[in-house]
Structures are given as C-alpha cells and as structure tokens.
Amino acid sequence: MKSTRVVFVHGAGTFGAAAWPRQHGMALDFDCLFLRRHGFDPVLEPLPTDFLADQQIVRDALGEGGHVVAASQGAVSAMMVALERPELVKSLVLAEPACLSLTQELPATAAHRARVEPLFARAADLTDEEFHREFARAVFASEPRPLMSAEDRHRARRLRMQAPPWEAPLEIVPGVPTLVLTGGWEPLYEEVAGYLAGTGAVHRVVGGGHRPQDTEEGNALIREFVRSHAA
C-alpha cells in the first residue's frame, strides 16, 4: 500500500501540505504528494491562473498512476487529468469542487456568476485589498479580515489574479470512481455535487463549511475511499 501514489491538489487558499492538515497521516500508508499549483509560491510573485499548467502539474505528479484528492478550484485540474489520462487516475475525491464550467447553466451557478463576474471584469482596475474586500462581500456576504501581514497581502494579490472557474476548459465528466464531499452550507457547491452525483459520483454532505475534508467524517471518508480503490 505504501507504494500507492496519492496526489493532493489544493484550492485558492493555502497550498502544499498546509492545505491538508487532516490528511498528513496518510503518508504513513501511501506515497503522498501535496502539490503547489501554478503561481502558488511562498516567496515568488503570484501568477495568473493557468488551467493547462495545473493539469500538467497533476499529470506529472501521478507518475505511473494513482489517486487524486482535490479541493475547490483544484478539482478542475484533477478532473481535466482524469479526462485526458483516465488510465492514470484510479479514483477521484473532490471536496467542494468549483467545477462551475459544468453547471454554469444551472440556477445556483448562474446566480453566482451574475454576482461575481462583474468583479472579475474589474480586477485589473482594483487594488489587491479592494478586490479581496469585494470578493468576500460577494461570495461570503461578510467583511474580510484586514490584511495585516505580508502573507495576507501576498494571498490577496494571488486571489485577484485567479481566473473564474467557469472559464476552465472542462465540459464533460471523467468516468473514474469519484467521491464528492460538501459542507452543506452553500447551494453553489451542492449544485455541482448534485450534477456529479447524476453522472455516477458518490456524494456525501459532512459539514465543515468550505473545508469538509477537515471534519472527522470527511477525513474518514477520504481514507476509506482511497483505500477501497487501491487494491
């Protein structure tokens, strides 16, 4: 089992191993790689979203094949690889997948896009702090924390450079075993999960807001699903 590769793909926030605090221990049983997507670096300046570069990063990490666990926007590149090279992907686990190109005609996604798209269109004219503040208001209906540290400001700059996920070149669903975890808090992600469940994925609502992988049940389901498809 230790030789079984498991690739973890983060979302728009923290990256690398820091994005997966509850899954660190899986490295005791599996060959785990905790990736950094294109433009995510603790020191270098952030770069704009590049879906194809992310796809290449995931594909290269899989080597001769394995399992992919992905969160939020990271689910896009995970599914792109599963479509391109299904023989490499033994299973997919998607936590609150932001695969909005699949559901952009459905009501929750359409409403989200109508609310957020004007902000993305103005991103180049806003400061990092302005975009960060307006994004929090539009997406979470809340006021964000002030950008107090260099890390906070770095993260805000990266957020402003991200492409909206409905622009991803993802239009169909891969035919590999898939588990979708959601937090049950946001109709947008439940809509995506429902769409994927309609194509054969297993969907479980486990709480935890936008990080269902951090819950006891979510963590257990990830481990169980990977293990069941690793034989």
Side-chain angles (χ1 to χ4, degrees), residues 62 101 121 165 176 190 194 215:
L62 279 168
S101 59
V176 302
E190 301 306 319
T215 66

Side-chain angles (χ1 to χ4, degrees), residues 156-178:
R157 175 163 296 186
R158 184 185 302 117
L159 176 65
R160 187 171 62 84
M161 300 178 75
Q162 297 306 293
W166 56 79
E167 293 184 355
L170 178 65
E171 298 178 353
I172 57 176
V173 176
V176 302
T178 302

